Amino acid sequence: MTPAAFLIAAAFAALLRGGVFPQAAPEPLQAPAPAAEAAPDPEYGAWLAEACAACHGGATPGVPALEGRSFAELRAALEAYASGARTHDQMGVVARSLTPEERGHVAAWFAGRPAEP
Amino acid sequence: MSSPLRPASALTRRGFGKLTLGAAAFGLATPSLAQGAAPRLVVVGAGPGGATLARYAAQGGGLSVTLIDENPHHITCPFSNYYLGGLYPFEDLVQGFDKLKAAGIEIVQGRAADLDREGKAVILADGTRVPYDALALAPGIDFKWDAVEGYTPEIAETLIPHAYKAGPQTQLLRAQLDALEDGGTVVVAVPGNPYRCPPGPYERVSLIAHLLKSTGRTRAKILLLDAKSSFSKQALFEQGWTRHYPGMIEWVPAEFTGGGFASLDAGARTVTGLSGEVFHGDVINFIPPQKAGAAARLAGLAGEGDWAPVLPETLQSAHDPDILILGDAAAQGDMPKSAFSANSQAKSAAAALRARLLGARAFPARYLNTCWSLIEVGDAVKIGATYKAGAEKIETAEPFISETGESAETRKATEAEAYAWYESFVRDVWG
Ligand SMILES: Cc1cc2nc3c(=O)[nH]c(=O)nc-3n(C[C@H](O)[C@H](O)[C@H](O)COP(=O)(O)OP(=O)(O)OC[C@H]3O[C@@H](n4cnc5c(N)ncnc54)[C@H](O)[C@@H]3O)c2cc1C
């Protein structure tokens, strides 16, 4: 699968699931992961998300909140930052410091959090 | 948002079965563990490093966490330059400890004066012994008061503020700036590397210029005396100064100061460079050379050096595996001494500590920093990097920096990020 096709597939699969991971008992992600990629691990994602909290915790106009966004949106954004398709200083270096699996883990964690009111 | 609490199940599922192993891996007779009580983590310093560590180590339970600070609250240096520039209220820099208490952290007000590494206890200035299984030291910086003749704590408190630990010092500098007449001279003297917040003095000069300009004092001059011959984000600052404050800021590099300062005369209001050249200021902000806060230099933790060496993966002292040292006080490698760095280090240190002490799931260390600097309202720049734990030190992985050719919209977006970071960071550290 090309990366673009993968992202579309991931987006579609997440839409079908409602885009949200159950918080207490996270299900392993099914269809979209390429054979080599492990299923998202939200517990590992929670560790990775600790770094995000430094900037993404205020829900202010300067930096958006991430909780409760769909897995597909978050994952696609991280892939785009990593490849440079979407540019932002910090998000570029942060996304590239993660492996593709780790980008999945952290997207899964935020997708499974309730959105802030 | 709520902090990204790791599921408590991480501990309950895997933790308790491994408790004995965790204690063994920690490598000591842990008194609390022997008695079956929760291991006791004692943290010295409730600044960005210590408070973050206490909060994240307490998450998920299983540890008893005590946080010691000599002050009843912490006043942040981040955004203290905004206050100097008239852009941020002083009260909003003051961070209380109530939410840390509510998170189950015991708060002790007192000064850590001594350390008994054998007996595993911190000794407070009033003689109280605080026993620990694990100790974390995040005391920030001390000034080298013997480095410059004529500059003493008393002079700093009354006449020539450093304003490099936020609080009354920052207010004193602001009051002096408010009293400066149009046409007057402000001297800001900056030490050599390493020191807290590499771009801090240059942001400060920018926002002092903003204060003067916005109060109609455009004939005032700022003399930026530097021990160095280059500085962080230099091209960006110099472009900004020409753009916003033409003729107001003059940078005097090492070539003219001699690479440092020999003496200071508070009565005559002069600073003498190692070059012998004498500089006069109606207001002088003297930022002295620095070393690790005293608590991180106790009991041989800093060896012969000014800063306390640590292991890059865990922030454990290179001299004592039961002691963590983080933030400005640590000699960790490539990360700048910033609040962002201290906050980032604390998260990796807390996770590694919980893995060692409680057998919680271990994760690889991750480090990140960004320092925003406001040059003028609507015009902010940033520098940052990701870092990784190398064999010898924390190493830069991938850096970034703002560009001189950026659009006004980009600079404005960067300013919005700076405000958003501060708000988010304060919640992440103090709750
Ligand atoms: C003007 C200025 C602007 C800055 N701006 C930024 C910025 O925008 N972004 C950024 O990331 N960084 C910034 N910094 C840097 C930042 O302030 C420091 O890097 C950061 O505060 C370091 O955190 P720390 O926890 O190591 O130490 P500190 O913040 O110094 O905290 C140490 C704490 O320990 C306590 N303490 C010390 N010794 C003892 C003892 N013996 N017993 C008990 N308590 C003790 C102190 O009371 C204090 O509360 C700035 C610094 C300055 C000076």
Side-chain angles (χ1 to χ4, degrees), chain B residues 35-60:
Chain B
Q35 294 155 22
R40 186 166 192 197
L41 168 66
V42 173
V43 184
V44 174
T52 306
L53 181 81
R55 230 164 82 73
Y56 277 80
Q59 278 186 10

Side-chain angles (χ1 to χ4, degrees), chain B residues 84 161 173-174 176-189 201 204-209 211-212 217 219-225 248-252 269 271 279-286:
Chain B
L84 287 175
L173 178 56
R174 173 67 190 276
Q176 293 184 349
L177 291 169
D178 283 341
L180 185 81
E181 304 208 339
D182 194 14
T185 300
V186 180
V187 160
V188 177
R204 171 170 292 177
V205 161
S206 308
L207 296 186
I208 291 175
L211 178 76
L212 296 171
R217 292 173 287 173
R219 291 189 303 116
K221 290 255 177 309
I222 305 170
L223 214 49
L224 176 53
L225 306 181
M248 288 183 75
I249 299 170
E250 186 188 342
W251 178 54
V252 183
R269 295 201 168 273
V271 177
F279 304 91
H280 175 267
D282 300 300
V283 171
I284 300 178
N285 171 210
F286 191 84

Side-chain angles (χ1 to χ4, degrees), chain B residues 44-50 68-71 73-74 77-81 110-113 138-141 163-165 196-197 200 203-204 295 326-329 337-342 369-372 421:
Chain B
V44 174
I68 302 171
D69 201 287
E70 54 191 331
N71 294 308
H73 47 241
H74 180 88
C77 285
F79 272 56
S80 66
N81 286 333
R111 191 169 64 81
I141 55 161
Y164 232 61
K165 291 187 183 185
R196 150 177 290 185
C197 197
E203 178 186 66
R204 171 170 292 177
L326 65 158
D328 286 0
K337 297 187 186 301
S338 74
F340 198 122
S341 295
N369 178 61
T370 300
C371 290
W372 286 267
W421 166 73

Side-chain angles (χ1 to χ4, degrees), chain B residues 215-361:
Chain B
T215 47
R217 292 173 287 173
T218 48
R219 291 189 303 116
K221 290 255 177 309
I222 305 170
L223 214 49
L224 176 53
L225 306 181
D226 211 322
K228 305 182 294 303
S229 43
S230 65
F231 59 88
S232 175
K233 296 187 256 197
Q234 182 165 354
L236 297 163
F237 278 114
E238 290 185 331
Q239 178 197 45
W241 296 339
T242 310
R243 188 184 280 167
H244 304 297
Y245 313 113
M248 288 183 75
I249 299 170
E250 186 188 342
W251 178 54
V252 183
E255 288 68 24
F256 302 96
T257 60
F261 304 97
S263 63
L264 188 147
D265 184 334
R269 295 201 168 273
T270 57
V271 177
T272 304
L274 291 176
S275 60
E277 201 165 330
V278 180
F279 304 91
H280 175 267
D282 300 300
V283 171
I284 300 178
N285 171 210
F286 191 84
I287 305 171
Q290 299 158 22
K291 58 186 173 184
R297 289 181 287 110
L298 293 170
L301 292 174
E304 301 290 294
D306 286 337
W307 312 95
V310 293
L311 308 184
E313 181 79 29
T314 60
L315 281 308
Q316 283 167 291
S317 162
H319 299 290
D320 188 331
D322 301 326
I323 299 180
L324 307 175
I325 302 169
L326 65 158
D328 286 0
Q332 36 67 26
D334 293 349
M335 298 184 83
K337 297 187 186 301
S338 74
F340 198 122
S341 295
N343 172 255
S344 172
Q345 290 161 17
K347 292 170 187 175
S348 285
L353 180 76
R354 288 184 60 84
R356 283 200 305 282
L357 272 183
L358 300 174
R361 183 173 170 187

